[in-house]
Amino acid sequence: MRWAISPVRTDGFAVTKRILVCGAGGFIGSHLVKRLKAEGAWVRGADLKLPRYEASDADDFIVGDLREQDVVRRVIDQRFDEVYQLAADMGGAGFVFTGAHDADIMHNSAMINLNVLDTARHQGCGRIFYSSSACIYPQENQQDPDNPNCVEASAYPAHPDSEYGWEKLFSERLYLTYGRNHGMQVRVARYHNIFGELGSWSDGREKAPAAMCRKIAQCPDGGTIDVWGDGQQTRSFLHVSECLEGTLRLMRSDFTGPVNIGSEEMVTIDGLIDRVAAIAGKRINKNHIPGPTGVRGRNSDNRLIKEKLGWAPTAALNDGLERTYAWIRSQVEKGRADAS
Ligand code: NAD
């Protein structure tokens, strides 16, 4: 499916910045399109699917499989000023850590990156952004829940705890080689647990904040929810609005990265639940059960982003949780109303 408004005047001059967002049907990609449109850019989105919860703000949206070279040639049929490559086969712990999707994760995401990057090079695209992940960091450095080490330089010797992390590391290196060998303006960020409205919350790909918001929204006051692991594993979570701020600042800076884009406000998973329960105004009991949990501790280290961009996220976790819980509760209520 496709609709288009030409970004080029009949006299051939571009009227505005032309931007491509790959993965524009996904969570971060759909927010990014909205933000770029608000800035006045002409935006093309590309994805396997349209956004699930709201119509895309893109001027032009190509629904297609970016593993296919002919699709990518259609998507990148011109020089874009900026390309944001967010498309990936990914999900939360229930998707990434079971092992059942490992081959798909590695094959699909690597194919997308190989195709998109090379085609962007041949079209002479101005800048290309790649969304890597905190999942690239070595598992040995994340065993102490109170003191994980996720400084950018600690990525090597590499030992990610998932194939998802290995593919991200490979693709980081791929982008960096195109920067070195082909003179491309490449930017690489390592996102740390991005959450917010319009994200997966019930399709098996949801991450911890969305899963906890859903469980608590569905749970009666005084009820019990299941929690994977002992709840003492630590993480930090960044609301999508600050993720976009960091992404755009990095893209328009002269720093290549890789650099962390994440929050330094670390919480335990039990602590996350307590916060959401307080926002919901409910007493919630926790039933800890075996399940995929990933590393014991993870937190963003923001020294490099502060040094290079003079900026780092500052919003409190609770601000983002309040917005996300309100949105997921509305989705749960809508589901109940539709079912009755
Ligand atoms: P998402 O799953 O919502 O978005 C990814 C999009 O890629 C989806 O809409 C999906 O349909 C699309 N896609 C997958 N395979 C495709 C294909 N073959 N062709 C075309 N499109 C395809 O994920 P997100 O949370 O928005 O994440 C965006 C990017 O950021 C991903 O690369 C992800 O790995 C990375 N990242 C996200 C987080 C996070 O916490 N959300 C953390 C670290 C890194």
Side-chain angles (χ1 to χ4, degrees), residues 63-102:
V63 174
D65 189 338
L66 296 170
R67 291 171 301 181
E68 306 290 337
Q69 228 166 27
D70 58 328
V71 172
V72 175
R73 284 200 194 105
R74 258 195 316 122
V75 168
I76 312 179
D77 61 350
Q78 57 187 281
R79 179 190 181 279
F80 287 93
D81 298 301
E82 296 178 356
V83 175
Y84 294 85
Q85 200 319 76
L86 304 173
D89 200 354
M90 62 94 65
F95 184 78
V96 164
F97 292 120
T98 64
H101 308 288
D102 285 350

Side-chain angles (χ1 to χ4, degrees), residues 145-192:
D146 297 323
N147 205 14
N149 176 13
C150 294
V151 70
E152 287 82 349
S154 70
Y156 297 98
H159 194 196
D161 70 335
S162 66
E163 302 301 350
Y164 170 75
W166 278 107
E167 189 282 326
K168 287 289 186 196
L169 204 52
F170 162 76
S171 289
E172 278 191 7
R173 299 186 69 92
L174 178 72
Y175 281 79
L176 296 175
T177 60
Y178 271 62
R180 287 200 305 273
N181 294 165
H182 300 312
M184 288 181 79
Q185 288 292 319
V186 167
R187 301 288 179 267
V188 179
R190 293 175 181 157
Y191 288 163
H192 287 243

Side-chain angles (χ1 to χ4, degrees), residues 134 137 142 145-151 192-193 234-237 260 262-267 297-302:
Y137 287 112
Q142 301 171 87
D146 297 323
N147 205 14
N149 176 13
C150 294
V151 70
H192 287 243
N193 286 313
T234 53
R235 292 291 184 276
S236 71
F237 303 96
N260 293 327
S263 163
E264 286 184 322
E265 188 181 349
M266 193 169 77
V267 288
R298 177 170 291 159
N299 194 12
S300 187
D301 183 314
N302 288 350

Side-chain angles (χ1 to χ4, degrees), residues 266-283:
M266 193 169 77
V267 288
T268 63
I269 296 299
D270 276 357
L272 175 72
I273 294 166
D274 292 341
R275 285 170 184 240
V276 177
I279 289 166
K282 292 182 181 179
R283 286 163 298 138

